[in-house]
């Protein structure tokens, strides 16, 4: 488990960053005995870095450490952990990070991409359409400043662009929004 802090991230000062920028990003790295590693990222909105690290390191990692990936059953692990700790969005986000890391390892092992791996699992679509997310401004800013951002993502051929209504200056918590 490792954290990338805000001071390593370049932020455009014209716009707000996500609320988790203050704390940083957290990633989970799962390494096989053949030195293949997979990365997963818990949803940073699901809890604090401290809470996410606690769940990953104290509750999930002991149940998957030294296990063969094909025998890691996240549903069974979930049931075991739910007996010990409260069922929270953070817990499910940690399971998603583990699942992402496992898919990453399987794709690397097959010298492929996660997209190709998912396609082999009966997903019909050949590409996954993605939208860009941004457009966070405060109530004292003009929507006009978002035009350049939207055009930049259109030029990069995203299928859409998500922006938010103006945020009140005193209402910055993602959870409160």
């Amino acid at each position: 488990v490792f954290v990338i802090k805000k001071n390593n991230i370049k932020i455009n000062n014209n716009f707000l960053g996500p609320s988790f920028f203050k704390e940083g990003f957290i990633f989970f790295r799962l390494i096989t005995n053949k030195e293949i590693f997979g990365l997963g990222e818990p949803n940073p909105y699901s809890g604090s870095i401290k809470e996410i690290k606690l769940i990953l390191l104290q509750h999930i990692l002991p149940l998957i450490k030294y296990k063969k990936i094909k025998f890691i059953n996240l549903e069974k692990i979930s049931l075991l952990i739910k007996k010990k700790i409260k069922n929270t969005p953070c817990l499910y986000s940690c399971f998603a990070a583990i699942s992402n890391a496992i898919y990453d390892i399987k794709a690397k092992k097959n010298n492929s991409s996660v997209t190709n791996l998912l396609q082999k699992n009966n997903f019909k679509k050949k590409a996954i359409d993605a939208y860009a997310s941004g457009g966070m401004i405060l109530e004292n800013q003009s929507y006009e400043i978002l035009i350049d951002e939207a055009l930049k993502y259109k030029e990069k051929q995203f299928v859409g662009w998500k922006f938010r209504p103006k945020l009140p200056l005193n209402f910055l918590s993602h959870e409160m929004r």
Side-chain angles (χ1 to χ4, degrees), residues 48-66:
S48 70
I49 284 180
K50 184 178 179 181
E51 181 184 9
I52 292 169
K53 281 177 78 171
L54 176 85
I55 290 172
L56 285 170
L57 294 174
Q58 290 187 7
H59 298 287
I60 295 177
L61 189 60
L63 296 172
I64 66 172
K65 195 172 185 177
Y66 304 118

Side-chain angles (χ1 to χ4, degrees), residues 10 22 24 45 57 73 79 93 101 128 130 140 150 163 172:
K10 187 176 180 180
K22 294 175 189 157
Y45 292 123
L57 294 174
N73 182 333
L79 293 173
S93 181
I128 298 171
N140 62 352
F163 70 100
L172 298 180

Side-chain angles (χ1 to χ4, degrees), residues 63-112:
L63 296 172
I64 66 172
K65 195 172 185 177
Y66 304 118
K67 299 270 191 307
K68 290 187 176 192
I69 287 179
K70 64 182 174 184
F71 295 118
I72 294 176
N73 182 333
L74 290 178
E75 287 180 38
K76 187 176 180 182
I77 292 169
S78 170
L79 293 173
L80 291 171
I81 292 172
K82 286 178 191 174
K83 290 178 183 177
K84 295 180 181 179
I85 64 173
K86 185 181 175 187
N87 190 9
T88 66
C90 183
L91 179 61
Y92 286 108
S93 181
C94 290
F95 288 133
I98 303 301
S99 180
N100 291 342
I102 290 170
Y103 269 106
D104 194 20
I105 289 169
K106 287 179 178 181
K108 287 174 180 172
K109 184 179 174 209
N110 293 320
N111 200 24
S112 183

